[in-house]
Amino acid sequence: MRCRGDRMTRNETIPYPNPLYSWYVVFVLLLAYILAFVDREIIALLVPDIKASLQISDTQMSLLLGGAFAVFYTFFGVAIAWFADRGNRRWLIFWGVVFWSLMTAACGFATSYAALFLARVGVGAGESALNPSAMSILKDYFPPDKIGRAIGLYTAGVSSGSGIAFIFGGAIYPKLKEIGPVELPLLGWHEPWQLMFIYVGLPGLLIALLILTIKEPIRREFLVSGIKPIASPVNQTLAYLLKRWRAFLVLFFALSGLAIMAYGIGFWIPEFLRRTYDLSPQELGYWIQWRGVITIAFGLIGVLIGGWMCDYFQKRYEDGYVRVCLGSFVFLAIGYCAFVLMPTPALAIAMLVPATLGAAAPTAAGAAAVVAIAPPSMRSQCIAMYY
């Protein structure tokens, strides 16, 4: 016990990196997360044209929106996280950004359902490298009393990326549809929906270069113990989670519920507005841009408040993170339930304000809780399993 106390004392006395540089790292990782959500969600704007071009049903489209991405995001994420627990996390993020950006652009070259499905699989596989590596890095850059705010700002990439996708898409895509198919030099003819994938995918290579400007931080717990960084086997990580199921089960199932509501509804919002209110492409683009503004503004407010509340309540309650999650879900449920009942598109979009606030705050709280309680030898794996 004394040895453990000595290590804790030594850990507390090891200085953290310069705060200004640490927040720069958060900013760079935030840009990568924004990019991930732009590339992940731009497809929601293209649903009717992809369906018409590839002659597919709503069910097949839903698999492109969710299943093709999520299943492989999950399985690749756990595998990559094992390497993140022992290897260079910066390089994992770099190659992940490069791969998912190229796969997003590859969606723009798909001419069949199978090809588009495989490209979406690639997007999910590439993006799975980001969160486990990024949050593990942030844990080594920030002390315990500031990690909630750091992760809160980082997770603002969820709402910011979604919002940018809808603002950019809502402004640009109707104009691309007016122009019609375009012939690219050496690449042949492309439909407007294909061009959108190319336009949002290729700029990600610039973000990948920016990732190289951040440094791989020391792993504080391993520095204290003097042991070379190791990664626990996946079965040992699972055993650890099951043994402490009372702590992790609430967090894991809470995020599952959040994802079912936020993604299950979110991906179909453009089509819901178009079909329910019989909107023209220009009218739909207008309301989609407003959806993007709300997502960015109130998503940022939600994650910042959620991160601050995490740090505040955790000092006073052992279950501070859980309290933030439960309170946020009330706003989430009210917003999304009311959204589908509104008589006009303006009122429907307005109901996304509480929904966005409720979805954003627990994103920071749940992630911060997992980062705080997961052991260093399995931290990235726990994060990957959480997501």
Side-chain angles (χ1 to χ4, degrees):
M1 177 63 74
R2 190 172 73 180
C3 179
R4 181 174 179 269
D6 291 343
R7 288 182 180 179
M8 289 177 64
T9 302
R10 287 177 59 195
N11 193 17
E12 292 169 357
T13 58
I14 297 172
Y16 281 85
N18 181 283
L20 186 62
Y21 180 76
S22 297
W23 285 108
Y24 168 75
V25 172
V26 176
F27 174 73
V28 173
L29 295 176
L30 169 63
L31 290 181
Y33 209 12
I34 289 173
L35 171 71
F37 265 81
V38 171
D39 290 357
R40 183 185 308 186
E41 297 209 0
I42 196 68
I43 191 173
L45 295 173
L46 315 176
V47 169
D49 294 319
I50 292 176
K51 286 181 59 185
S53 179
L54 302 182
Q55 295 295 297
I56 60 176
S57 65
D58 277 346
T59 301
Q60 289 173 299
M61 191 69 226
S62 70
L63 293 175
L64 289 175
L65 294 170
F69 178 92
V71 172
F72 289 90
Y73 179 90
T74 301
F75 288 107
F76 277 98
V78 174
I80 292 173
W82 184 84
F83 289 101
D85 278 328
R86 62 177 297 154
N88 189 296
R89 295 160 289 185
R90 183 190 69 160
W91 280 111
L92 285 173
I93 295 174
F94 170 80
W95 289 113
V97 173
V98 169
F99 187 73
W100 93 58
S101 297
L102 292 175
M103 288 297 100
T104 301
C107 291
F109 294 91
T111 56
S112 68
Y113 180 73
L116 185 55
F117 189 95
L118 289 175
R120 285 287 289 174
V121 167
V123 176
E127 289 193 17
S128 68
L130 180 59
N131 275 335
S133 303
M135 292 193 185
S136 178
I137 283 177
L138 292 179
K139 175 65 174 176
D140 289 323
Y141 266 108
F142 288 90
D145 63 335
K146 291 184 173 63
I147 188 63
R149 276 162 280 188
I151 290 179
L153 181 57
Y154 167 72
T155 56
V158 175
S159 55
S160 299
S162 298
I164 290 172
F166 287 108
I167 292 174
F168 177 76
I172 300 298
Y173 192 57
K175 294 181 175 141
L176 291 179
K177 291 185 68 173
E178 288 179 6
I179 297 172
V182 173
E183 185 177 16
L184 300 179
L186 304 177
L187 300 177
W189 289 90
H190 284 73
E191 297 287 340
W193 67 267
Q194 295 173 310
L195 292 172
M196 278 298 295
F197 280 121
I198 296 172
Y199 290 161
V200 302
L202 293 181
L205 300 178
L206 298 177
I207 301 295
L209 295 177
L210 196 59
I211 295 295
L212 297 180
T213 67
I214 68 176
K215 301 175 183 177
E216 173 74 11
I218 60 171
R219 296 177 185 260
R220 298 181 61 82
E221 292 92 345
F222 291 118
L223 180 66
V224 170
S225 65
I227 300 173
K228 184 179 178 180
I230 57 173
S232 300
V234 175
N235 62 332
Q236 186 175 328
T237 302
L238 287 170
Y240 176 86
L241 295 175
L242 290 173
K243 185 176 181 181
R244 293 157 179 81
W245 64 270
R246 287 182 178 84
F248 287 99
L249 193 66
V250 171
L251 294 170
F252 283 30
F253 273 89
L255 187 74
S256 297
L258 168 65
I260 288 170
M261 281 193 283
Y263 289 113
I265 295 174
F267 271 130
W268 287 99
I269 283 176
E271 275 299 276
F272 171 82
L273 294 173
R274 186 180 70 85
R275 298 181 189 183
T276 303
Y277 305 108
D278 194 25
L279 302 178
S280 69
Q282 290 72 26
E283 290 172 326
L284 178 61
Y286 173 80
W287 290 115
I288 287 301
Q289 289 180 73
W290 268 108
R291 188 238 171 144
V293 171
I294 287 173
T295 302
I296 292 176
F298 290 94
L300 182 59
I301 292 171
V303 293
L304 292 178
I305 292 176
W308 176 81
M309 290 176 67
C310 285
D311 293 335
Y312 178 83
F313 282 109
Q314 199 61 22
K315 293 177 182 178
R316 290 160 176 78
Y317 308 101
E318 291 184 355
D319 60 347
Y321 293 128
V322 176
R323 291 173 184 242
V324 175
C325 289
L326 293 176
S328 302
F329 287 161
V330 175
F331 284 88
L332 177 70
I334 290 174
Y336 275 136
C337 288
F339 166 76
V340 299
L341 302 175
M342 293 297 105
T344 68
L347 290 175
I349 292 296
M351 291 303 102
L352 294 178
V353 171
T356 301
L357 286 170
T363 303
V370 175
V371 168
I373 63 181
S377 63
M378 59 181 69
R379 180 171 293 133
S380 295
Q381 293 176 71
C382 289
I383 295 168
M385 292 177 185
Y386 170 68
Y387 276 97

